[in-house]
Amino acid sequence: MKIRKLPPKPAALKLTRVAAYVRVSRESERLTHSFSAQVSYYNKLITNTPGWEYAGVYSDYATTGTSISGRGEFNQMIEQALAGSIDIILTKSISRFARNTVDLLTTVRALKAAGVSVRFERENIDTANAEGEVLLTLLASFAQAESESISANAKWGIRKKYKDGLLHSRHPYGYLYHHGQLDIIEEEAVIVRRVFAEFLEGISPEKTCKQMNQEGLRSRGGGKFSASVTRDWLENPTYIGTAILQQYFSAHAGDNTPTLNRGELDKYIVEDSHPPIIERSVFYAVQAELARRRATGGRGLTPTGGSSALTHRITCTICGRNYHRRTRRLAHSTYKYWWCETATKGKGNPCHAHQLREEHLHAIIKRLLGLHAWDNQQVIEQIEQIEASPNWVLTIHLSSGNTATINCRTGEEVTA
């Protein structure tokens, strides 16, 4: 009998999957090689450390550290870690990870619960250790205070420029912001002048944009011209060389959502701030025509195609601008709705205006006017103006002189 001994196979060494996160901001990193140097450093560190398996180096460049939103690779890294693909995350410092204490601790705790630790090299903190979170909370608070201080100093500098009548990083169509000045871009200025001139000839911005797009003309970003944008040009005093400074402001540090300035801060109007594209006589003639159309509820325009009897009739009680008609496309359907012009500009919704579905508006107006079916002409003749409030109340002024106040959610009349 012959016996052979087979020793057990050694257990396979389980490698620790390690990733790194790098963020470089233009404000603090003046050396152009800083970003690539950090990425290279972590690549070598992870691949050359025994027992570590490379799980990627995630990097975001020139993005704010006050919030974790908007950082594509950071969010991708967190998703991978929570999915079980990463064991350790390396990063240079707390301020590189996030300067918002709440976001930082929420993220770190979620990672820790999933068995993922974060190591901050500069502060020598490893969240796998019991004392790591206590130190992290303290240091993150200091980092957030530093960020808020930097933000406050930056805002002070911008407001000081406004007080002195100086521009700050404005990029209106038709102009190039260069060393604190607006220089005319002539090929864009030609388009602006055309929109103003054709409006005074009775051609709507919709028709002008359609024609320009058919001619192959394109906006600065390469897209087609939009009537909602060119309508804003018609009321923009920038084109006569006047700058209105601090129309919007950021209410909180780290929050870049523009808030409409309703008197919370000083506002500055600077005449002859920069070269004009439009002559003042032309601009004021356009304002007079816009006022005339608003006063008549747009009755000079026959509602056809994409327009409506409600065009120029619904106004916002907060900013005084008209509601615009928009289209929302869903997976299997579309519907029309009306929304305050200020909200449609893409600068948030400072008026807190609600989107009013067109079918609901039609139902309310048909009931009020006793119509069995929608009739543009009847609406034009019987309704002077509709005021829309952020509390869902519509105040409808009739040509007869009567006024109806209606809750647009319920369709019921509101009694005093």
Side-chain angles (χ1 to χ4, degrees), residues 108-122:
V108 166
R109 286 168 181 165
L111 292 170
K112 190 172 182 179
V116 182
S117 64
V118 183
R119 297 182 183 178
F120 301 93
E121 290 192 306
R122 179 179 295 170

Side-chain angles (χ1 to χ4, degrees), residues 347-364:
K347 295 184 176 180
N349 184 9
C351 300
H352 302 289
H354 299 292
Q355 297 178 3
L356 307 178
R357 289 187 71 144
E358 185 170 270
E359 59 183 315
H360 296 160
L361 285 171
H362 281 196
I364 289 170

Side-chain angles (χ1 to χ4, degrees), residues 312-331:
H312 304 302
R313 275 183 168 73
I314 309 175
T315 58
C316 174
T317 59
I318 302 300
C319 69
R321 289 184 175 272
N322 288 324
Y323 270 53
H324 285 190
R325 192 186 197 213
R326 318 285 283 186
T327 301
R328 173 148 294 161
R329 292 175 174 81
L330 304 177

Side-chain angles (χ1 to χ4, degrees), residues 117-340:
S117 64
V118 183
R119 297 182 183 178
F120 301 93
E121 290 192 306
R122 179 179 295 170
E123 295 84 2
N124 194 25
I125 292 176
D126 186 345
T127 60
N129 300 329
E131 68 275 8
E133 186 166 322
V134 176
L135 289 171
L136 190 63
T137 304
L138 291 173
L139 293 172
S141 297
F142 293 143
Q144 181 171 341
E146 178 190 6
S147 174
E148 290 173 353
S149 176
I150 292 171
S151 175
N153 289 339
K155 287 180 179 177
W156 181 89
I158 293 170
R159 288 169 184 169
K160 177 66 167 60
K161 289 175 68 175
Y162 288 159
K163 188 175 181 180
D164 294 339
L166 302 176
L167 304 178
H168 176 74
S169 187
R170 295 166 64 93
H171 299 280
Y173 187 83
Y175 288 100
L176 171 67
Y177 179 81
H178 182 66
H179 295 306
Q181 300 294 326
L182 288 180
D183 297 329
I184 294 177
I185 303 174
E186 191 53 43
E187 57 267 30
E188 293 184 357
V190 169
I191 301 295
V192 176
R193 295 187 190 106
R194 175 174 174 176
V195 171
F196 274 81
E198 292 192 359
F199 180 79
L200 289 179
E201 292 170 5
I203 303 172
S204 70
E206 286 80 6
K207 196 166 184 178
T208 297
C209 287
K210 182 178 180 180
Q211 182 60 39
M212 291 193 300
N213 292 330
Q214 288 176 347
E215 293 171 12
L217 298 173
R218 290 296 178 260
S219 67
R220 182 181 292 174
K224 292 184 177 181
F225 284 99
S226 164
S228 62
V229 173
T230 55
R231 279 189 179 277
D232 289 341
W233 296 355
L234 296 175
E235 297 182 88
N236 191 345
T238 298
Y239 293 119
I240 57 172
T242 298
I244 301 178
L245 309 180
Q246 204 155 257
Q247 282 184 287
Y248 295 87
F249 67 99
S250 297
H252 306 288
D255 180 7
N256 295 321
T257 304
T259 299
L260 184 65
N261 183 3
R262 299 195 187 95
E264 294 90 341
L265 299 173
D266 291 333
K267 194 182 293 184
Y268 304 93
I269 299 176
V270 185
E271 303 282 354
D272 301 320
S273 163
H274 51 273
I277 290 176
I278 300 297
E279 294 180 7
R280 288 180 179 269
S281 58
V282 173
F283 184 81
Y284 293 138
V286 167
Q287 304 319 299
E289 176 59 16
L290 287 169
R292 184 193 70 78
R293 294 189 185 188
R294 285 180 181 135
T296 59
R299 273 192 281 272
L301 302 173
T302 303
T304 58
S307 62
S308 161
L310 298 178
T311 302
H312 304 302
R313 275 183 168 73
I314 309 175
T315 58
C316 174
T317 59
I318 302 300
C319 69
R321 289 184 175 272
N322 288 324
Y323 270 53
H324 285 190
R325 192 186 197 213
R326 318 285 283 186
T327 301
R328 173 148 294 161
R329 292 175 174 81
L330 304 177
H332 303 292
S333 64
T334 62
Y335 67 86
K336 302 288 185 183
Y337 67 95
W338 294 77
W339 204 17
C340 174

Side-chain angles (χ1 to χ4, degrees), residues 45-56:
L45 175 64
I46 296 171
T47 55
N48 293 335
T49 300
W52 281 7
E53 179 183 349
Y54 181 81

Side-chain angles (χ1 to χ4, degrees), residues 23-51:
R23 182 183 65 80
V24 174
S25 66
R26 291 193 181 97
E27 289 80 6
S28 59
E29 301 294 339
R30 296 175 182 271
L31 299 177
T32 57
H33 68 272
S34 176
F35 186 76
S36 57
Q38 288 187 55
V39 172
S40 176
Y41 163 74
Y42 282 116
N43 273 322
K44 291 179 181 177
L45 175 64
I46 296 171
T47 55
N48 293 335
T49 300

